Amino acid sequence: MSDPHVSLTASVVSPFALTAAEVAFWERLCATVDSLNSPFLSHHFTRAVAEVRPDVYICVIRRKGEPVGFLPFQFRTRLHKLLRVAEPVGECRSEEHTSELQSRQYL
């Protein structure tokens, strides 16, 4: 079991910047956690939206340098980006948007 006192770090990246290992972990995470098993929470959906929208990003949450979660988001307008007001990828078409954490113990 992980040390619960190790802090989390986060970085924001393009959906196209994830490594193959990170994508595989994200897919495994969605496949094994029932609440994350939705196409709207997948890397494939995020990449598909990013193909047509330049304002899609992923917050990669890490513990000890290893990914533990992914939070895909987008900005509706340039003003929203300037104000740092994000929304779920694909606008509000998915009510299932949530952070994709490996376990709630990290919160």
Side-chain angles (χ1 to χ4, degrees):
M1 186 161 168
S2 301
D3 180 358
H5 302 290
V6 175
S7 64
L8 298 173
T9 60
S11 59
V12 175
V13 300
S14 160
F16 307 103
L18 294 180
T19 66
E22 289 169 330
V23 171
F25 178 75
W26 187 349
E27 290 173 352
R28 217 169 32 254
L29 190 61
C30 287
T32 58
V33 178
D34 286 341
S35 62
L36 302 179
N37 194 356
S38 164
F40 295 110
L41 298 176
S42 72
H43 177 258
H44 298 291
F45 178 74
T46 301
R47 270 193 74 127
V49 174
E51 291 282 345
V52 296
R53 293 190 64 124
D55 56 357
V56 174
Y57 301 92
I58 301 168
C59 178
V60 181
I61 304 163
R62 299 177 187 281
R63 176 179 288 250
K64 293 184 178 180
E66 296 298 320
V68 295
F70 303 89
L71 179 62
F73 64 93
Q74 70 184 29
F75 296 105
R76 185 176 299 219
T77 66
R78 281 186 270 159
L79 178 59
H80 285 99
K81 187 173 183 177
L82 180 66
L83 296 173
R84 298 178 187 240
V85 177
E87 65 182 9
V89 170
E91 297 178 23
C92 297
R93 289 176 174 72
S94 169
E95 295 177 11
E96 300 176 24
H97 188 76
T98 183
S99 61
E100 299 181 17
L101 295 177
Q102 184 176 14
S103 169
R104 295 182 193 270
Q105 71 179 343
Y106 294 117
L107 296 176

